[in-house]
Amino acid sequence: MSVTWEAPGGWEDLGWEPLAPGVGRLRLPVWDCTVGLVAGAEGALLVDAGSSVAEGTRIRQEAEELLRAGHPAPGPQGTGRGSGRRVTHVALTHPHFDHVLGACVFAGAEVFAAVGAGAPLTSEDGRDALRADAVANGLTAGAADGALELLTAPGHEVHDDHVLDLGGGVRPLLANVGPGHTAYDLAVLVPGPRPVVFCGDLVEESGAPQAGPDAVPSRWAAALTRLLELGGEDAVYVPGHGAVVDAAFVRRQREELSRRFGTAW
């Protein structure tokens, strides 16, 4: 499935994939993890933040370069015009290292996650598990420790649905759709003529969905039903890993998960 649009501001020049006007994503190296960017007139939302301080720094630099290219010069300090040139909000789709350890780089941004996601990011046991998973998957111990030292709990926990107003009519919806891949799965819907749904690792295209010890298999298929309800038949669905897919792919993955775990949706 190919999804393209005429992209101002050099998205492709920096290796970002445009998905809709003002919406794009970046596939990061090593773990092929997706981060998304939603640009409004007065703010911008980043979906996930990468696996380390270094990766988060790269993401922030590139995102802000894209935002500067797509927005007018900033107004006086404290006015809305300038805020459209930086990441003002971060949504963490779930608390796994490759999606969250770069979040510490986005100082000043409002950070959102599903209700309860703060515990695995800030408790001693949660941090130990996060570090062990990161190092087992190839992140250096030093990079993991450096990110964990700076990582804090999300400032906002999403219980159900929460709409952000980024200005200019850009109003992404943060939806607590889990549990499934983890106990704390958050999706992001960007409405538009062709909606875009950032799925986190509830959907994976580059391999079979990974069900680790923190997965909730009995609820996973139902979480995909919620994703399909959010986006509808014509939406662009953005997996946590892999190429962009359509609703038919999500339905097939839901059926595979239902068979794999013996659950209904």
Side-chain angles (χ1 to χ4, degrees):
M1 174 187 175
S2 177
V3 180
T4 59
W5 61 285
E6 294 300 321
W11 290 74
E12 288 111 328
D13 293 343
L14 289 176
W16 289 65
E17 178 183 1
L19 303 173
V23 184
R25 67 93 174 244
L26 177 67
R27 290 174 70 170
L28 295 165
V30 185
W31 298 285
D32 191 24
C33 183
T34 282
V35 296
L37 182 65
V38 183
E42 298 176 359
L45 169 68
L46 187 79
V47 183
D48 285 332
S51 65
S52 66
V53 174
E55 199 161 64
T57 299
R58 174 207 167 177
I59 294 164
R60 181 167 191 168
Q61 290 172 342
E62 292 185 4
E64 292 184 351
E65 182 174 341
L66 291 170
L67 294 169
R68 285 193 299 271
H71 287 272
Q77 185 174 6
T79 67
R81 292 187 67 199
S83 60
R85 297 161 60 92
R86 65 180 182 86
V87 173
T88 53
H89 301 76
V90 176
L92 302 177
T93 62
H94 62 287
H96 282 170
F97 82 93
D98 48 336
H99 297 259
V100 304
L101 289 186
C104 58
V105 169
F106 294 88
E110 296 185 58
V111 181
F112 293 77
V115 64
L121 297 181
T122 58
S123 69
E124 183 176 353
D125 288 346
R127 283 173 173 263
D128 287 347
L130 202 60
R131 182 187 189 279
D133 187 38
V135 173
N137 280 282
L139 191 67
T140 67
D145 291 339
L148 285 166
E149 183 178 350
L150 299 171
L151 188 65
T152 59
H156 306 275
E157 294 193 328
V158 180
H159 291 258
D160 189 7
D161 293 346
H162 182 82
V163 176
L164 298 177
D165 187 352
L166 301 179
V170 180
R171 294 173 58 85
L173 172 72
L174 312 185
N176 186 340
V177 296
H181 177 65
T182 70
Y184 318 103
D185 291 308
L186 190 75
V188 177
L189 165 69
V190 187
R194 191 167 196 186
V196 177
V197 182
F198 291 96
C199 306
D201 287 4
L202 286 168
V203 178
E204 295 191 44
E205 185 276 335
S206 54
Q210 298 299 301
D214 58 344
V216 186
S218 64
R219 301 284 295 278
W220 200 330
L224 296 191
T225 295
R226 175 72 172 124
L227 286 180
L228 290 164
E229 291 170 349
L230 280 173
E233 189 62 27
D234 297 327
V236 174
Y237 292 88
V238 186
H241 303 264
V244 166
V245 300
D246 57 13
F249 181 96
V250 178
R251 286 197 301 273
R252 288 194 299 271
Q253 196 153 97
R254 180 181 63 179
E255 292 164 4
E256 292 165 3
L257 287 166
S258 181
R259 289 193 298 269
R260 177 176 168 187
F261 297 124
T263 60
W265 62 80

